Amino acid sequence: MRLIRLPGLFFLFLLIASCTSQSFIQDKELSVEHKIEALLSQMTLEEKINMTHGNTKFSTAGVARLGIPDLMMSDGPHGVREEIKPDSWEPAGWTNDSASYFPTGTALSATWNPDLAYRFGQALGQEARARDKDIILGPGINIMRTPLCGRNFEYMGEDPFLVTRMVVPCIKGIQEQDVAACLKHFALNNQEFERNTINAQLSERALQEIYLPGYEAAVKDGNVFTVMSAYNKVRGAWCSENPYLLNDILKKQWQFPGIVISDWAGTHSTVEAANAGLDIEMGTNRPYNEFYFADPLLQAVKNGAVSEKTIDDKVRRILTVMYKSGIFNENRSEGSFTTQEHFDIARKVAEEAVVLLKNDHNLLPLDKKKIKSITVVGDNATRKHAAGGGSSGLKALYEITPLHGLKNKISADTKLKFAQGYKRTTKFTWNKGVLNFFDADEAEQLRKEAVAAAGESEVVIVFAGLNHDFDTEGTDRQNLVLPYQQDLLIKEICDVNPNTIVVLISGSPVEMPWHKQVPVIVQGWYAGMEAGNVFADILFGDVNPSGKLTFTFPEQLEDSPAHSLGTYPGQDLNSDYSEDILVGYRWFDTKKINPLFAFGHGLSYSSFQYSDLKLKAKISPEEGLQVSVNIRNSGDRPGYETAQLYLQDVECSVIRPDKELKAFEKVYLQPGETKNIKFNLKSKAFSFFDEKEMQWKEEPGLFKVHVGSSSRDIRLSGDVLID
Ligand code: BGC
């Protein structure tokens, strides 16, 4: 059926009178806006309100008589979660919901490869569609403010620019598959401790410069369809009823046309939340009709506390997202599930994520043909991580453990011995950073066995680190100490075998009191279903490492800003962000504190030389700057290098960090090959958020441009004057 385009009410009248909703919903000649208005005009208030709250744990109601289906959601962010029963958290018992398990957020960001973020997004979106989901609850981009935050592993590190570059393609990749991404957690859910009640107090400048840029880019450049409000409060108001964050910034300033979904059980009111910009309430622990956005919302509209216009706005947004996600499209993408292509993407992301932190005497890569004996130590050598960590956990189709990966790799002539070394246990307590261990005898026994085995082999590989008892939703770590007395184990192993390689499995930094003694340290992350194969590829040199840290590893916890200032975890449920804009390396650089491993650090089996830095000596305000540099692979194997550009504002009326990342480029170079890289800096890159004028401001004066291989390995610097 075709209808000629007629304006306004007459159009609506004609439309409603002359067709069934099911038919016009798909009519290609009508604009989506017209269809949405037509649908809205046929809905009762009750039907509209039904669309604004959960009707199962992970869906909201549609309006069947109008052809509007329920909206189906799933966690995120690194794979599609196991199917649970509609009304409880128990597994639904499906046998076909074992999904691809992709590397988690910290690993993805450590690739510094936006193209991989896009492919990750595509694969995730395809898996979500194949499981018939409309919204996948991810990605998560809360800035790493403290290394202790239990959910750091899900996020993308400490730098707003890096987050921006990675999150946009990830969202595009997801949404091109006819499924909505849900960007979380908006905003400042930077600690899990007291996450439901903690109140983040921070300056406008810190908000604008550090904590919001990723979200803004996701909205404006990534066109993200949905956003999840965070559990915590910001400046006294819960994020789910925070008019400044939701209405003023997100919906008005950024013109976000999509849906704000509450975090699960993160809604605290009806009228405040409805008027502050929340669109959908999820996860409340009450019968569905008693949700704040169910019967109480109906009542609030009837008594005038919330206008029907406000409800219409929410439903309009929901319908808009439904249209954009192809829900009404006959040819909606069907997605694909657990395909070889997805496994390959999981593997590729992991390959580019693993960070070689230290490689003394070029102990790595190991030579498969020469090596005769290896001892593998550690609980993480055999542990699978996919199911852990809270809401992001999933049922993986498979997960290659490190030990499995090594067995796949080594030649038949190499002897491989495994020793547990330490055991995962909950039988310990911390007393001011000191571990009280209750299984001391057993622990000693395991350690002794491992040390003995270590002494008998050519090389020892210790798979140490954390697991999802520590990197997890709902709690923060208490300190940076490796649990289960791993420090002691590593030290004793080093004492008997100088060829000790430590591979850390974690999503956040740990202290390494043994770092000087251990020649090789690798940060392996939670690297997804192919983790074990990838670690073996890296250790044996089939893959040249290219990951770079996306957050600082402090020497000790007290060195990092919130801990140095004593503002974590906050007092009386207030967390005062007094470190302000000096988050992560911005703090370490400005305060001249040496980190254990710096932001942006990551070695390769190749070496790279930087030369020919070129930039204009003088630019006018608002002109922007092009910087060009040559990078040469001076090693003997092909590899990637990520060149990073940092700006330093030398003359400024406000405090500015010593360095701020403003551009980066990952390049692949054959041995001896040189490539020229051009960085284009827009004028905003030079600016700061001026709290007096409440806008970004570019001040004239001298800037230094630093280009290097990490934030602490600057190879070339130049000056530019803004005049
Ligand atoms: C988490 C969200 C998650 C939701 C649904 C909450 O506890 O904070 O990230 O999407 O649960 O599982």
Side-chain angles (χ1 to χ4, degrees):
M1 179 198 55
R2 295 261 148 103
L3 280 183
I4 45 166
R5 285 169 190 246
L6 291 170
L9 282 177
F10 181 60
F11 162 80
L12 275 183
F13 171 77
L14 247 190
L15 183 65
I16 295 158
S18 65
C19 63
T20 66
S21 45
Q22 279 85 348
S23 60
F24 78 78
I25 272 176
Q26 278 155 6
D27 192 314
K28 292 193 181 62
E29 294 298 306
L30 294 173
S31 76
V32 166
E33 292 73 26
H34 276 133
K35 292 182 199 178
I36 288 174
E37 293 312 314
L39 283 171
L40 256 175
S41 70
Q42 295 178 72
M43 282 184 196
T44 65
L45 180 60
E46 285 77 2
E47 285 170 335
K48 292 176 192 169
I49 284 178
N50 274 343
M51 293 181 73
T52 66
H53 63 87
N55 69 344
T56 72
K57 288 279 179 218
F58 280 92
S59 65
T60 53
V63 184
R65 72 177 181 89
L66 296 176
I68 304 171
D70 290 4
L71 193 59
M72 311 304 291
M73 314 178 190
S74 170
D75 282 302
H78 44 262
V80 185
R81 189 176 178 172
E82 173 183 21
E83 213 59 39
I84 59 163
K85 291 186 175 159
D87 304 327
S88 88
W89 293 98
E90 275 175 51
W94 285 20
T95 50
N96 57 355
D97 58 345
S98 297
S100 297
Y101 164 40
F102 299 98
T104 72
T106 38
L108 179 62
S109 63
T111 67
W112 293 63
N113 186 339
D115 182 50
L116 270 185
Y118 174 72
R119 287 164 60 195
F120 172 106
Q122 280 182 316
L124 180 63
Q126 284 159 4
E127 298 240 337
R129 275 308 303 132
R131 286 269 299 278
D132 232 357
K133 305 301 176 194
D134 304 310
I135 302 179
I136 182 87
L137 303 173
I141 57 164
N142 294 82
I143 289 286
M144 186 184 289
R145 174 178 180 248
T146 160
L148 298 185
C149 174
R151 286 186 95 169
N152 283 337
F153 77 98
E154 287 186 58
Y155 304 145
M156 297 187 181
E158 69 188 21
D159 182 75
F161 178 77
L162 179 74
V163 169
T164 295
R165 288 282 312 274
M166 298 300 284
V167 76
V168 168
C170 178
I171 287 166
K172 286 187 175 161
I174 293 173
Q175 295 190 162
E176 283 171 13
Q177 314 311 314
D178 287 346
V179 63
C182 183
L183 186 67
K184 58 196 195 182
H185 305 87
F186 188 64
L188 297 129
N189 184 178
N190 302 318
Q191 64 187 62
E192 289 299 283
F193 182 72
E194 306 284 17
R195 67 175 175 174
N196 295 305
T197 37
I198 195 81
N199 176 34
Q201 289 288 3
L202 76 171
S203 72
E204 191 61 24
R205 187 171 170 208
L207 184 68
Q208 298 285 346
E209 288 191 18
I210 305 293
Y211 296 101
L212 291 187
Y215 296 97
E216 182 173 2
V219 170
K220 291 184 174 168
D221 305 333
N223 296 317
V224 69
F225 295 165
T226 81
V227 168
M228 186 185 290
S229 58
Y231 279 130
N232 50 288
K233 294 178 180 172
V234 172
R235 296 182 185 150
W238 267 297
C239 290
S240 56
E241 52 184 65
N242 195 310
Y244 184 56
L245 286 179
L246 303 184
N247 275 341
D248 297 350
I249 294 185
L250 182 64
K251 291 185 172 176
K252 288 196 193 112
Q253 285 178 27
W254 299 346
Q255 298 278 299
F256 172 64
I259 318 170
V260 179
I261 302 172
S262 77
D263 201 341
W264 269 234
T267 310
H268 300 272
S269 65
T270 298
V271 176
E272 287 83 350
N275 288 335
L278 183 71
D279 299 308
I280 289 182
E281 177 193 7
M282 292 302 294
T284 298
N285 297 317
R286 280 204 291 267
Y288 301 114
N289 68 315
E290 290 177 22
F291 274 34
Y292 292 103
F293 274 23
D295 292 351
L297 185 55
L298 187 62
Q299 216 38 55
V301 177
K302 287 188 176 157
N303 68 28
V306 176
S307 71
E308 187 156 357
K309 214 169 127 226
T310 300
I311 304 298
D312 283 351
D313 176 65
K314 298 183 193 314
V315 175
R316 199 174 279 122
R317 288 169 179 275
I318 296 168
L319 290 170
T320 304
V321 168
M322 286 181 142
Y323 268 105
K324 285 186 179 166
S325 317
I327 290 181
F328 299 120
N329 183 349
E330 280 169 334
N331 305 317
R332 187 182 192 191
S333 152
E334 289 178 354
S336 51
F337 201 58
T338 53
T339 60
Q340 186 58 46
E341 200 193 340
H342 294 176
F343 311 154
D344 292 346
I345 289 168
R347 186 162 182 159
K348 180 73 178 148
V349 171
E351 283 176 7
E352 291 198 28
V354 173
V355 181
L356 181 60
L357 293 174
K358 182 178 178 190
N359 188 19
D360 281 1
H361 328 298
N362 292 332
L363 184 59
L364 289 188
L366 303 173
D367 188 336
K368 190 170 157 176
K369 289 192 202 104
K370 287 197 189 139
I371 198 147
K372 292 281 167 292
S373 60
I374 305 175
T375 296
V376 175
V377 178
D379 185 73
N380 271 332
T382 53
R383 181 156 303 284
K384 295 184 178 178
H385 297 282
S391 60
S392 66
L394 57 106
K395 204 158 104 187
L397 183 69
Y398 68 84
E399 180 178 349
I400 308 286
T401 65
L403 186 62
H404 187 170
L406 283 172
K407 284 184 178 161
N408 287 345
K409 172 72 59 184
I410 54 170
S411 78
D413 302 336
T414 310
K415 268 203 256 147
L416 190 144
K417 211 188 279 171
F418 170 67
Q420 179 73 29
Y422 70 93
K423 206 175 88 174
R424 175 189 176 192
T425 170
T426 48
K427 289 192 194 155
F428 65 85
T429 56
W430 295 107
N431 185 10
K432 296 195 176 109
V434 178
L435 194 79
N436 291 331
F437 216 60
F438 301 129
D439 273 336
D441 290 346
E442 192 190 1
E444 194 180 340
Q445 183 59 29
L446 290 175
R447 194 167 63 244
K448 272 190 176 156
E449 281 166 19
V451 173
E456 288 161 8
S457 61
E458 243 177 287
V459 168
V460 192
I461 308 173
V462 188
F463 287 94
L466 305 173
N467 56 41
H468 286 308
D469 291 347
F470 295 88
D471 277 318
T472 187
E473 181 175 346
T475 55
D476 291 340
R477 278 186 296 158
Q478 296 195 22
N479 50 53
L480 294 185
V481 181
L482 278 176
Y484 321 122
Q485 295 182 318
Q486 292 176 76
D487 289 336
L488 188 60
L489 171 72
I490 294 170
K491 227 188 123 309
E492 288 187 5
I493 287 178
C494 277
D495 288 344
V496 297
N497 194 327
N499 295 333
T500 296
I501 296 161
V502 174
V503 182
L504 289 164
I505 309 299
S506 76
S508 39
V510 297
E511 257 175 37
M512 303 180 211
W514 34 261
H515 72 93
K516 290 201 177 114
Q517 226 185 323
V518 174
V520 176
I521 309 173
V522 176
Q523 178 63 35
W525 314 113
Y526 299 106
M529 63 204 303
E530 287 286 341
N533 284 334
V534 171
F535 298 155
D537 282 346
I538 298 260
L539 294 171
F540 283 91
D542 293 322
V543 168
N544 192 352
S546 67
K548 302 262 189 188
L549 294 181
T550 62
F551 50 84
T552 308
F553 274 60
E555 187 83 61
Q556 50 182 3
L557 184 61
E558 297 68 41
D559 290 347
S560 62
H563 300 275
S564 165
L565 297 170
T567 59
Y568 169 90
Q571 262 197 340
D572 303 328
L573 297 178
N574 275 307
S575 185
D576 183 5
Y577 285 30
S578 53
E579 71 281 3
D580 206 52
I581 51 157
L582 298 183
V583 174
Y585 68 92
R586 287 166 164 76
W587 169 268
F588 284 80
D589 285 355
T590 310
K591 301 287 178 189
K592 316 280 180 247
I593 303 168
N594 280 333
L596 176 57
F597 293 108
F599 175 84
H601 172 71
L603 304 173
S604 159
Y605 298 144
S606 305
S607 46
F608 300 97
Q609 283 174 352
Y610 289 60
S611 64
D612 300 300
L613 180 70
K614 287 195 185 114
L615 63 155
K616 270 188 172 176
K618 198 153 109 180
I619 54 172
S620 50
E622 287 167 34
E623 187 184 327
L625 178 72
Q626 193 181 76
V627 178
S628 120
V629 68
N630 284 345
I631 301 187
R632 178 169 176 272
N633 182 348
S634 48
D636 57 8
R637 58 175 73 213
Y640 289 101
E641 168 69 333
T642 300
Q644 302 155 40
L645 185 152
Y646 297 86
L647 277 185
Q648 181 184 2
D649 189 350
V650 182
E651 295 170 318
C652 190
S653 62
V654 294
I655 177 176
R656 297 204 65 179
D658 249 25
K659 271 184 235 109
E660 290 177 87
L661 181 74
K662 295 296 175 183
F664 64 86
E665 204 62 53
K666 188 165 189 170
V667 281
Y668 190 72
L669 294 164
Q670 295 296 334
E673 191 186 8
T674 301
K675 273 188 187 155
N676 178 260
I677 294 178
K678 287 191 173 50
F679 300 109
N680 287 308
L681 302 181
K682 299 212 173 94
S683 64
K684 194 175 175 193
F686 295 85
S687 60
F688 62 91
F689 191 83
D690 182 356
E691 291 191 313
K692 284 189 218 112
E693 293 175 24
M694 284 295 280
Q695 62 182 358
W696 291 86
K697 186 171 177 182
E698 188 189 5
E699 277 184 350
L702 185 67
F703 282 79
K704 283 202 174 298
V705 176
H706 302 292
V707 177
S709 186
S710 90
S711 64
R712 291 286 176 123
D713 183 7
I714 298 302
R715 305 291 180 84
L716 299 165
S717 296
D719 290 348
V720 58
L721 185 70
I722 301 186
D723 197 12

